Amino acid sequence: VTDELRRMRARQVMVVADSCYAGTIDRAFNPEIAAEGTREVYLRKMQEKPSRVLIASGGAEPVTDSGGGGHSIFAAVLLRALKAPGQPSFTAQELFAGQIREAVAGRSEQTPEYKTIRASGHDGGDFVFFRKR
């Protein structure tokens, strides 16, 4: 997987995995949010640097497939968070920390994970979302 991600020409790549043991794609966790500067500067930096990040429904726990109204709990929470993010622009890390991790872990046995994917071309950036409407 990391070899394929490294070959991609895209600057940002986010892998979203909603399956058992999906969190083991990478074994490192190093989320770094810029501590200084304005939000616009931070988002620009996150966009400019290559990123390969993973948001997974769980690391070593079975995935809860019911309870999400036709989706898994993880998928239902992710979709709800993307529909109503609360901000016009945000990073994948902010989406995960602010809306996904607690909502999923509080309703299931899963503990979702956010990770950079090592040896894949990651260089400190993040996937940045901009609300169009």
Side-chain angles (χ1 to χ4, degrees):
V1 171
T2 57
D3 289 343
E4 291 301 317
L5 292 174
R6 192 178 315 115
R7 286 187 202 119
M8 290 181 180
R9 293 180 186 216
R11 190 176 303 135
Q12 279 86 29
V13 175
M14 180 175 60
V15 176
V16 178
D18 184 12
S19 64
C20 295
Y21 313 110
T24 59
I25 287 177
D26 185 65
R27 289 165 180 75
F29 183 90
N30 186 18
E32 294 180 17
I33 294 183
E36 54 189 65
T38 66
R39 178 155 184 82
E40 293 78 22
V41 171
Y42 165 66
L43 291 175
R44 188 179 72 243
K45 285 181 181 178
M46 293 300 99
Q47 269 188 289
E48 290 173 354
K49 292 182 170 230
S51 67
R52 303 292 185 263
V53 297
L54 166 74
I55 295 179
S57 58
E61 311 88 9
V63 169
T64 305
D65 289 329
S66 60
H71 296 289
S72 69
I73 290 173
F74 173 81
V77 168
L78 174 65
L79 292 171
R80 184 180 68 228
L82 289 171
K83 288 179 183 174
Q87 300 181 65
S89 55
F90 53 95
T91 66
Q93 182 181 25
E94 292 169 332
L95 179 75
F96 177 80
Q99 299 198 44
I100 295 173
R101 184 179 176 97
E102 184 177 320
V104 173
R107 294 174 56 195
S108 71
E109 295 299 314
Q110 297 164 238
T111 303
E113 299 182 12
Y114 175 94
K115 296 180 177 184
T116 59
I117 303 173
R118 291 176 46 210
S120 66
H122 181 80
D123 189 27
D126 200 349
F127 196 92
V128 180
F129 294 88
F130 293 94
R131 188 175 183 134
K132 292 288 186 176
R133 311 186 218 160

